[in-house]
Structure formats: structure tokens, C-alpha cells
Amino acid sequence: MAVRFFAMLPFFILIALIMAVTALVGLVALIKGKFKRAASLLLAPFIVASPFLFPVLSYQDFAFDWLRFLFTKEHYAQVIGQMSPAERASRIVPFGWGEEGFAGIGNAHFLIVYDESGEIALPEQERSQAWKARAEKDKLYFDDQNCLVVIGRLSGHYYSVAERCP
């Protein structure tokens, strides 16, 4: 854990310096009477730092995922619509939503998953063997003991999956 902190320390210092310079430029703009510029420059550091200062949004809060899903749902519905009903019922269909991390530190994977059975939202112990076999066939693992996996229902048979591994 300490190694990760020291590996990320230069980035934290750089971000803090950028925020301090932005705030200083905002104060200068305020003194010069440029209120709109001052307001945006003074608010910017707080907006950037707010997730760290006020960690209200955690993996359990799917507000951003839900909004993003609303704007992109047509693409996923089109892909699912091209599948036969039997194929949809027999598969767990993942859509990659991105990854996060740097040099193997703080790796996270984000997915949208279509699962007609809804078993993806159940705890690992309650999922059927048939569902586990489908997940294994598609090389999907939602029960890694070393990773934090959070799954939330977005709409219908669509689920948001966030997996963070150390």
C-alpha cells in the first residue's frame, strides 16, 4: 500500500500545484474586477477536488452510469435485438465501458452487461450452476475474491459492473 502511495505522490503534487495556480489566477482576476473569470477559476479547484473531499459518489451510486446508459442504450438494444431470443436467454452479453489505472496501480474495469436471467445481481452463492457455466464460457468473472465487484441494475436486463482489483 505504501508503495502505491509513493508511486502516485508526484501526480498528487502536480494536481495540487495546478489547483493552487488556478486559484491564484482566480484571485488576481477577482482583484482586477473580472468577476465571471474569477468565479470560474475559483470554482475549478473545488470542482476537481470535490470527489476527494466529499466522497459522496461511490461505486454504489450509479447515477452517472444510468445517465450514460440513457444516452447510449440504443446501441446496446440494437446489438441485443440482432440476437435470437434463444441466444439472448442463453448468454451473458458484456459491453466494455472502459478501464482505469496506471502502470498496474488501481486497475478497474467497467462493463454494461445484458443478462436476461438477472442472476448477475445475486450474490455468488445464490447463482445457479448453469449461470456460472455461461459466465465461465464467456470468460466473465464476477466473483473474484481479490477484487471489489459492484453490480447494479440500470434498466430492464442491463446491469452496470464495476470491478476494482488491487
Side-chain angles (χ1 to χ4, degrees), residues 8 59 98-110 163-165:
M8 297 302 291
Y59 280 118
E99 297 181 3
E100 177 182 284
F102 177 73
I105 299 171
N107 290 328
H109 305 280
F110 305 97
E163 177 184 53
R164 182 173 296 277
C165 298

Side-chain angles (χ1 to χ4, degrees), residues 42-134:
L42 289 173
L43 287 175
F46 293 106
I47 292 170
V48 170
S50 64
F52 305 107
L53 299 174
F54 310 105
V56 174
L57 297 175
S58 65
Y59 280 118
Q60 286 77 25
D61 189 356
F62 292 98
F64 290 123
D65 286 350
W66 184 73
L67 284 174
R68 182 178 173 190
F69 178 72
L70 284 180
F71 289 110
T72 59
K73 182 179 181 180
E74 295 303 317
H75 167 72
Y76 306 120
Q78 182 181 13
V79 171
I80 297 299
Q82 293 174 351
M83 302 170 89
S84 69
E87 187 180 9
R88 278 195 306 257
S90 66
R91 290 198 53 210
I92 302 165
V93 184
F95 299 97
W97 250 16
E99 297 181 3
E100 177 182 284
F102 177 73
I105 299 171
N107 290 328
H109 305 280
F110 305 97
L111 300 166
I112 292 300
V113 177
Y114 180 86
D115 180 20
E116 276 195 15
S117 70
E119 288 190 53
I120 190 171
L122 297 175
E124 195 270 331
Q125 303 83 357
E126 295 178 23
R127 294 177 186 152
S128 68
Q129 288 301 327
W131 188 92
K132 291 177 186 178
R134 286 195 308 265

